[in-house]
Amino acid sequence: DAGVTQSPTHLIKTRGQQVTLRCSPKSGHDTVSWYQQALGQGPQFIFQYYEEEERQRGNFPDRFSGHQFPNYSSELNVNALLLGDSALYLCASGARTAGLYEQYFGPGTRLTVT
Amino acid sequence: AQSVAQPEDQVNVAEGNPLTVKCTYSVSGNPYLFWYVQYPNRGLQFLLKYITGDNLVKGSYGFEAEFNKSQTSFHLKKPSALVSDSALYFCAVRVDGNNRLAFGKGNQVVVIP
C-alpha cells in the first residue's frame, strides 16, 4: 500500500513565477491538507480539501490556492513567488470517516525561490 | 487558541539512556495531542496520539508519551535511546474538528554512541 506521495521532490523557481505541487493521498483517504515548513520551524497549516472543496484555510494569502480531484489527489499552486515562500511543502492525508485522527504525511516538496 | 510549546531546542542523550522530549499544551476543552518524527530531508512520521483514555500512550518504535492534565504536558519518552532515534521531533495539537494541527517548533534529538 503506497503511502502519501508528492511530486516533485525538489523545485527551484525565480521570484514572480508560479509553481504547482502535487499530492496523492494514502489509499482509502479522502481528505488532503497542505502545510508549509520553513527552515527551523514547525509546519504551518495552509488549507484542507475534502470533496473537491477547500474546507479550511490557515493564515496564508490568496497567492496560495489549491485543488482536489475526484480521485482525491490534490494540487497546491503558489503565484507570484516570493523569497519567503522557500520552504518544505508537506501534504497530509486522512480519512474523514475515521475522524481524521491520524494523518499521514508525504515526504514533501522542497521549494527554493531565488 | 490551541497551541503547544516545546521548550528545548536540542536534547542530547547517550545511547541506551532514557530519552525524554518535552511538550506542554494550551487548549480549551479536551486536548487531542500528537507526536511526529522527521528524519533529514523526509516528511513527518506519525508516532502516537492521545485522544482519550489511559494517560500513558504507546506508539511506534518503542516510544510512549505521558499525558498529564494537571501539568498540561505530553512528554515523549523512550526507555533506551538508539542512535537511529536521532531526528527532529514535533509535538502537535488538534485545533478543530477537521484535525487541523498546530505544531511546536520541534526538538532536535541527538543520541550519542
Side-chain angles (χ1 to χ4, degrees), chain B residues 63-102:
Chain B
F63 284 93
E64 57 189 27
E66 185 173 6
F67 173 72
N68 189 315
K69 188 172 184 178
S70 62
Q71 298 186 5
T72 62
S73 66
F74 188 56
H75 300 333
L76 181 70
K77 300 181 180 183
K78 187 171 184 180
S80 178
L82 302 173
V83 172
S84 57
D85 293 328
S86 297
L88 192 55
Y89 290 81
F90 288 97
C91 180
V93 63
R94 186 186 196 189
V95 173
D96 55 41
N98 289 318
N99 216 40
R100 168 178 172 174
L101 298 177

Side-chain angles (χ1 to χ4, degrees), chain A residues 48 56 100-103, chain B residues 34 49 94 96 98-99:
Chain A
Q48 184 182 88
Q56 265 204 314
L100 297 174
Y101 293 132
E102 289 187 24
Q103 293 188 72
Chain B
F34 304 81
K49 68 179 184 292
R94 186 186 196 189
D96 55 41
N98 289 318
N99 216 40

